[in-house]
Amino acid sequence: MRTRGDTLHMLWLIRAEPRSFITMGVAHTISGDGGRTWSAPQNVPLPAGLDTPARIAAAAGPGGELHLVFSDRLVELNKQLWHTRFLDGWTQPVRLLPDSSRRSSRFVFHIDGSGRLHLLWSHSALYREGDPPGARDVRLSYAVRPLCREDGT
């Protein structure tokens, strides 16, 4: 992903072993020369206790920063969505969704020209007591979140 000028970023899920569904983190590498050379891969910091990100998505911000949204795989955390960004280093990830009994599933996001995060996600829960096994109530939700800059504004 290009953030500004010749600056490119590459992100990927670190797998426990080839062709495994078990993830062990997110790796990041950066190129400042349009992809001719790349930095050594570094791990993206994850929230305490979270070591199994399930899905990742990235977007470039208006200031040249890289934004990363990822979902966790942990049922205890209810498959929440998290956000972090990289400019000269990674910020501490923050939870995007409020605590709820609904699990996030698929998601997409965009950073607009004002630096606001637009998030669209699906979530599901069992219908009602007595419904057939596997019956689910699937919903789409949308939220806009203002993002703070490094200077706190």
Side-chain angles (χ1 to χ4, degrees):
M1 166 152 306
R2 184 180 304 273
T3 53
R4 64 179 154 188
D6 284 339
T7 303
L8 301 174
H9 297 265
M10 192 172 0
L11 295 152
W12 65 93
L13 289 170
I14 302 167
R15 303 272 180 203
E17 56 187 57
R19 298 186 189 141
S20 169
F21 289 107
I22 300 170
T23 59
M24 300 178 64
V26 179
H28 170 243
T29 185
I30 187 169
S31 171
D33 58 13
R36 288 188 295 278
T37 61
W38 292 88
S39 67
Q42 300 289 320
N43 287 345
V44 174
L46 299 175
L50 174 64
D51 59 358
T52 57
R55 289 184 171 82
I56 60 174
E65 70 279 13
L66 176 69
H67 293 264
L68 173 66
V69 172
F70 59 93
S71 63
D72 63 52
R73 193 179 296 280
L74 300 176
V75 174
E76 299 84 31
L77 293 176
N78 214 17
K79 295 191 175 182
Q80 291 293 304
L81 297 178
W82 301 83
H83 171 261
T84 184
R85 72 177 181 273
F86 180 91
L87 190 52
D88 294 319
W90 287 102
T91 60
Q92 188 63 31
V94 295
R95 190 182 298 201
L96 286 175
L97 302 179
D99 291 329
S100 83
S101 62
R102 297 186 176 275
R103 296 179 178 188
S104 66
S105 181
R106 307 283 184 184
F107 64 92
V108 293
F109 81 103
H110 171 74
I111 305 294
D112 68 19
S114 300
R116 292 177 302 192
L117 186 146
H118 297 258
L119 177 68
L120 178 68
W121 75 99
S122 65
H123 47 97
S124 64
L126 292 177
Y127 271 116
R128 294 168 294 278
E129 187 80 28
D131 281 346
R136 294 237 172 242
D137 175 18
V138 178
R139 298 181 183 173
L140 288 176
S141 295
Y142 171 77
V144 178
R145 304 261 190 250
L147 298 174
C148 292
R149 299 188 173 128
E150 292 297 323
D151 64 4
T153 61

